[in-house]
Amino acid sequence: MKKRIAILGSTGSIGTQALEVIDANPDIFGVAVLTARDNADLLIQQAIQFRPKEVVIGNEKLFDKVDAALSSYSIQVYSGDSALVSVVEAEDIDMVLTAMVGYAGLLPTIHAIKAGKDIALANKETLVVAGELITSLAKQHEVNIYPVDSEHSAIFQCLAGEGDNPIEKIILTASGGPFRGKDRAFLADVTKQQALKHPNWSMGAKITIDSATLMNKGLEVIEAKWLFDLRAEQIDVIVHPQSIVHSLVQFEDGSIKAQMGLPDMKLPIQYAMHYPFRLKSSFPRFNFIDYPSLTFEKPDLDTFQNLAIAYQVLEKGGNAACIVNAANEIAVEAFLQDKIGFLGISDVIVESLAKIEYIGNPTYSDYVQTNEATRRFASEMIQVKV
Ligand code: NDP
Ligand code: MG
């Protein structure tokens, strides 16, 4: 029996790499559902190649185009936000890979969990916004959440075979991004072209900017808390510019386990999709002789404020991380549209955190309202500045 995967965000960086994994292992995986927002051409091409039962194009204006292109295949086409959410509930889905970007991942993930589908989670924003809700729902519905993010996959791989051995702490590695070692004076004038040039990974625009500001590492600290049930003081971050050691776990006897390899997201994607089994691959192998020095540095929290902010909101709990996530999404978009500078991203987050009402025990509708209020506030703040 093939494992039937629904890929949410199939036209993105993670989505297309997941399809490469499926293409290389056609006896093991099948595609049940593909979804995208705007990239109708690629979605059509993917649907013709992988023959899912259902596809969803988020942008309703593109429905006719996708529907016409797929009319001679037995593929059901839907469009719009509600279809993006409900499509995960179909009976013949075994696993949902959440590879869309941003807050938009939250509701489809909730629906998938409630429908009892295992999750391969790339969309870290879902756990950042509502980690408590998502992990408790997963427990209640006996659903597994397998990490796709490379650092969390590394931790997950280090935990294999450890049974109930407690984690003393984890160490998340960070490449440091394109501006490692730079000061605030330098960062004040950097362009989006510079920020989009990640040294080691090729990824979507939003996560690439998050990597440059170290917000990505901050989001990953929060993601790790929820995935592995840790306290803030059990989560360390270390800068490792070569991105060979993908993260580490320290146990109570002092032993540290690391997971290593050349940077390639297909490995964590296939580990999540086929856990607990490892799939044979032809990915290029790491060779120690090619990397005679793997180096490690302390992250610069004064220059890269967003990582410090993430630790603060982790301690604070409630809807604080939801505020940070929404403010960051708006600020990154504004930076990509040349409306604010690089350092302005942190300013938008800090001011949003100060202004938006804190809620200690948020419900789902509190998260929805917090997200909306923060987006409105952050957008207005940027408008005023422009
Ligand atoms: P991309 O920007 O490359 O792809 C995003 C995908 O989501 C596209 O298919 C896009 O559709 C779709 N999408 C965008 N907005 C919406 C929306 N509002 N509703 C529904 N679908 C939408 O992102 P990445 O693949 O880089 O990242 C995806 C997620 O995985 C992010 O949460 C990221 O943090 C995480 N991640 C990514 C890594 C990577 O290496 N790329 C590594 C670790 C985690 P379309 O293009 O058709 O508009
Ligand atoms: Mg990562």
Side-chain angles (χ1 to χ4, degrees), residues 4-6 30-34 46-47 50-56 70 73-78 87 90-93:
R4 293 154 306 178
I5 317 272
V31 177
V33 171
L34 295 174
Q46 292 176 338
F50 290 96
R51 304 297 171 90
K53 266 201 160 158
E54 297 174 315
V55 306
V56 183
L70 300 179
Y73 303 91
S74 52
I75 300 173
Q76 206 60 49
V77 180
Y78 304 97
V87 74
E91 212 162 276
D92 57 353
I93 296 172

Side-chain angles (χ1 to χ4, degrees), residues 124 148-152 173 201 203 207 211 216-217 220 223 246 265:
K124 66 191 85 184
V148 170
D149 213 345
S150 58
E151 295 77 0
H152 306 74
T173 53
W201 300 94
M203 310 180 285
I207 184 176
S211 300
N216 183 49
K217 212 47 56 181
E220 290 182 357
E223 182 185 12
H246 296 305
M265 282 309 296

Side-chain angles (χ1 to χ4, degrees), residues 317-328:
N319 66 341
C322 177
I323 298 171
V324 166
N325 180 71
N328 181 57

Side-chain angles (χ1 to χ4, degrees), residues 10-171:
S10 65
T11 52
S13 162
I14 294 289
T16 51
Q17 293 180 84
L19 285 172
E20 283 178 45
V21 167
I22 292 173
D23 195 33
N25 299 280
D27 300 336
I28 295 173
F29 304 115
V31 177
V33 171
L34 295 174
T35 80
R37 187 180 57 177
D38 294 314
N39 194 343
D41 292 328
L42 183 54
L43 182 65
I44 290 165
Q45 197 183 311
Q46 292 176 338
I48 292 172
Q49 183 181 350
F50 290 96
R51 304 297 171 90
K53 266 201 160 158
E54 297 174 315
V55 306
V56 183
I57 181 83
N59 183 342
E60 292 180 348
K61 290 189 195 123
L62 296 167
F63 172 80
D64 288 344
K65 177 178 180 166
V66 179
D67 194 46
L70 300 179
S71 61
S72 56
Y73 303 91
S74 52
I75 300 173
Q76 206 60 49
V77 180
Y78 304 97
S79 75
D81 287 342
S82 62
L84 281 173
V85 167
S86 57
V87 74
V88 297
E89 293 163 357
E91 212 162 276
D92 57 353
I93 296 172
D94 299 311
M95 172 177 264
V96 175
L97 170 64
T98 64
M100 74 287 265
V101 61
Y103 177 88
L106 178 60
L107 196 52
T109 308
I110 290 176
H111 277 249
I113 294 172
K114 285 186 174 167
K117 313 295 183 190
D118 277 347
I119 307 288
L121 184 134
N123 179 257
K124 66 191 85 184
E125 293 91 341
T126 286
L127 281 182
V128 171
V129 169
E132 199 152 20
L133 175 69
I134 293 291
T135 48
S136 71
L137 272 179
K139 214 178 255 169
Q140 186 188 332
H141 293 273
E142 295 177 18
V143 156
N144 298 303
I145 300 179
Y146 300 108
V148 170
D149 213 345
S150 58
E151 295 77 0
H152 306 74
S153 175
I155 307 281
F156 190 53
Q157 292 180 56
C158 291
L159 292 175
E162 290 292 342
D164 291 332
N165 288 329
I167 297 173
E168 190 164 83
K169 70 173 186 183
I170 64 167
I171 304 159

Side-chain angles (χ1 to χ4, degrees), residues 1-3 5 21-22 25 27-29 95 118-120 146-148 156 266-280:
M1 274 287 274
K2 288 189 197 182
K3 194 175 210 171
I5 317 272
V21 167
I22 292 173
N25 299 280
D27 300 336
I28 295 173
F29 304 115
M95 172 177 264
D118 277 347
I119 307 288
Y146 300 108
V148 170
F156 190 53
K266 290 198 287 299
L267 185 100
I269 289 170
Q270 70 178 39
Y271 192 73
M273 290 193 337
H274 202 45
Y275 177 84
F277 307 107
R278 288 187 182 274
L279 280 170
K280 204 172 164 65

Side-chain angles (χ1 to χ4, degrees), residues 343-365:
L343 293 176
I345 299 175
S346 300
D347 296 343
V348 172
I349 298 170
V350 169
E351 287 207 29
S352 301
L353 255 181
K355 280 277 153 50
I356 304 299
E357 189 196 351
Y358 174 74
I359 302 170
N361 289 303
T363 60
Y364 173 70
S365 76

